[in-house]
Amino acid sequence: MNGFLVWLNSFGSPEKFHRVALRFEPWLLGLALLVGAVGLYLGLVKAPADYLQGESARIMYIHIPAAWMSLFIYGFMAFSGFCALVWRFKVAELMAMAAAPIGAGFTAVTLITGSLWGRPTWGTYWVWDARLTSELVLLFLFFGVIGLYNAIEDQRKGARAASLLALIGLVNLPIIHFSVNWWNTLHQGNSINLFAGKSSIHPSMLWPLILMALATKFWFGASLLARTRIALIEFEAGKEWAQTALFGPRRPEA
Amino acid sequence: MRKGSVLSAFFGVMRRDALSLWRRRADALNPIWFAAIVVTLFPLALGPEAAKLARIAGGVIWVIVLLASLLSLDALFRADLEEGSLDLMLTSAQPLAVLAAAKILLHWLATGLPLLAITPIAATALGLSPKALPVLLTSLALGTPIISVIGACAAALTAGLRRAGMLLSLIVLPLVVPVLIFGAGAVEASLTGTSTTQPMLFLAAGLVASIALGPMVCAAALRLGNH
Amino acid sequence: MVRQGEPIFGPLDFDLHAGEVLLIEGGNGSGKTTLLRVLAGLLSASEGRIERNGVVSEDLTTPVGFLSHALGLRADLSPIEQLDFFACLYGLRPGISAMGALKSVGLDGFEHMPVRRLSAGQRKRCALAALLHTANTLWLLDEPYANLDRDGQILVDRLLEAHIARGGAALITSHGLIEPTVSRVRRMRMELAHA
């Protein structure tokens, strides 16, 4: 544990973080685009159309990875916020806050693709399905964190307050999920099981899903590093390393 | 009770807040007026058809109670912060969680309890089946303190912000979704004749957990704002 | 000490003993109030440590009497109710009643008037009465002389004198216009930090 802390702390030096992030970013972005392109090609072109839902089911190659990411990023944000609150790492604070808009973005993508898929499948853009409803509440949780962070003038104070909110939300998330499921069974009338019978998935459908799940992770990594890095430079604009990072090494005064 | 003990600090905070609430009792009643007016708006918007109103009464009352509880939340720590008495609570070395608990309890006594008291009238006005009324009241009695606890944590996080009101709703409402679901769900279950034990137990569990953890989280949030 | 990344004041090293008043002088923005808040445990210093009775105080375990520009008074409450609230938080100083404390700061006759209707000087006196009424041995007073008339300033001196005579200690700030006339005063100057 102690070694882990030391490692985190060394990573937590803004200057070092900036250097490491700058090196990894292009790789992660490249991998995201490459794997994503292959995944989309396999999913949208090569994989067979669903025999029940037809071509429209292909939207799940975006919908499902985005839904996974929305939860993953919420968890990441809360974990990062936890590190920020307990050990007061500046980088962890900014990282948690950089993750929030990305997570909100993936959540929005999940909701939009879900409703687009719902139109041909259910004949309507929105159904109060348990998963979609949970996802909607998740979006509001992200908005709360982003809103609180932006409302507090002192950046570090704001990041810590929003981190605490993210943690409260994390504790609440399984309860929300469970309650929404319970609610859906209580009102049996309009309960439709999204993606029923997914257990016996054909490999030609599984591969694009896995690739897309990987691509979204890479994308998140690249986006997170870039956002955190820029937030750090903004925050420490007056410091020498930030000046050097932006304008190159200062020449000795003539 | 010795002055300066933890217990006296708890009651000191409650007494002071109760006194200042009493001196501004017209303001303190705002959530009740709000609830009464919104209950009136529903038949006006949906039509006076008794069967329709009776069908939705439980859910409507739950949503109204939720929104009315939010009204008084953004003022929960405002006075303490502006007048500087939050600093005093911190420098007194009393456990902040205990003082926060006093404030939360008073919020419930001043908002949740009166709302609970007018619920039978609102339920009758909307024509809720009399056999569902005890279920509605029990679910509100279990659920409104949870709303006060979660709301107080959010109020502590947003204390001192200029547009705290809107942000407060944005923060609180997603977090209290389970309370609303189980509360209104219990009423729904009693109407359809299914057992209400399950949602009631979930509400009770939520209540116990919020009482145990809420004041500590609230105190942590208040400290974050100060450091 | 930094605020939003801007340094407020640089390293300071000082101590405060029982039975004395430490006067911190400095112009506007020199960080007097921030220093007081750090000492009260309301802010954490970016570096350094604070010891109380030789023990490093990480967290607040002993109460301190704290007087800031925001006096901590609730507008709708009367001075007597305020004092009761303070006593609930801090504990009572033996030998002085709330009425007695209010009388000695010249608020007799105003005991039951809401603070809202008192003047700025009278509110300050009410907060001073609260210090007198409660049991703290360490006082951190931010600009105790502000808003007070000549009599009020003499009153502050009298309170400080009595406090240190009891073995208490006080740390007070001043922008330098008013001199405390107390038997044991030490001074410390804070200069503006330059970024």
Side-chain angles (χ1 to χ4, degrees), chain A:
Chain A
M1 194 61 196
N2 215 11
F4 171 69
L5 277 183
V6 170
W7 173 78
L8 256 183
N9 215 0
S10 74
F11 195 57
S13 130
E15 192 185 354
K16 187 167 180 196
F17 178 88
H18 183 270
R19 223 166 343 106
V20 175
L22 210 53
R23 189 171 326 139
F24 277 101
E25 262 168 49
W27 287 101
L28 285 169
L29 193 62
L31 274 171
L33 292 177
L34 187 74
V35 177
V38 176
L40 279 181
Y41 173 73
L42 288 180
L44 299 187
V45 182
K46 293 289 274 188
D50 190 279
Y51 77 103
L52 258 181
Q53 296 161 9
E55 301 290 343
S56 64
R58 293 184 193 277
I59 206 164
M60 76 168 180
Y61 298 115
I62 296 169
H63 177 78
I64 292 178
W68 285 340
M69 283 313 284
S70 63
L71 264 182
F72 173 81
I73 294 176
Y74 198 92
F76 175 88
M77 177 177 76
F79 172 73
S80 197
F82 178 79
C83 294
L85 286 174
V86 176
W87 296 297
R88 302 194 156 220
F89 295 140
K90 194 185 288 173
V91 175
E93 286 168 13
L94 293 177
M95 222 179 214
M97 291 309 110
I102 312 176
F106 273 112
T107 315
V109 167
T110 311
L111 286 169
I112 292 167
T113 51
S115 83
L116 286 179
W117 178 79
R119 178 70 192 150
T121 317
W122 298 325
T124 165
Y125 280 112
W126 184 262
V127 209
W128 290 97
D129 161 76
R131 288 187 214 198
L132 282 179
T133 309
S134 294
E135 199 68 21
L136 187 62
V137 178
L138 182 66
L139 185 67
F140 294 149
L141 286 177
F142 272 121
F143 283 164
V145 171
I146 298 170
L148 184 60
Y149 175 57
N150 287 322
I152 299 178
E153 212 172 308
D154 183 319
Q155 203 179 7
R156 296 204 66 180
K157 225 184 241 186
R160 280 203 285 267
S163 294
L164 184 62
L165 178 62
L167 272 175
I168 299 174
L170 186 74
V171 174
N172 219 308
L173 211 53
I175 308 174
I176 292 173
H177 186 74
F178 175 78
S179 67
V180 170
N181 276 338
W182 182 84
W183 159 80
N184 215 358
T185 52
L186 181 75
H187 305 265
Q188 275 294 341
N190 51 5
S191 148
I192 297 161
N193 204 349
L194 199 64
F195 303 118
K198 192 89 290 142
S199 53
S200 59
I201 189 167
H202 192 266
S204 67
M205 295 169 94
L206 187 63
W207 269 110
L209 256 185
I210 291 177
L211 286 179
M212 286 307 288
L214 279 174
T216 46
K217 295 274 184 309
F218 289 136
W219 173 269
F220 170 61
S223 178
L224 178 74
L225 288 182
R227 293 185 63 96
T228 313
R229 195 170 55 79
I230 291 161
L232 262 177
I233 287 190
E234 255 174 29
F235 188 72
E236 307 219 316
K239 299 257 173 80
E240 182 149 359
W241 74 263
Q243 299 281 332
T244 315
L246 281 177
F247 308 118
R250 191 185 298 168
R251 286 183 205 89
E253 307 275 326

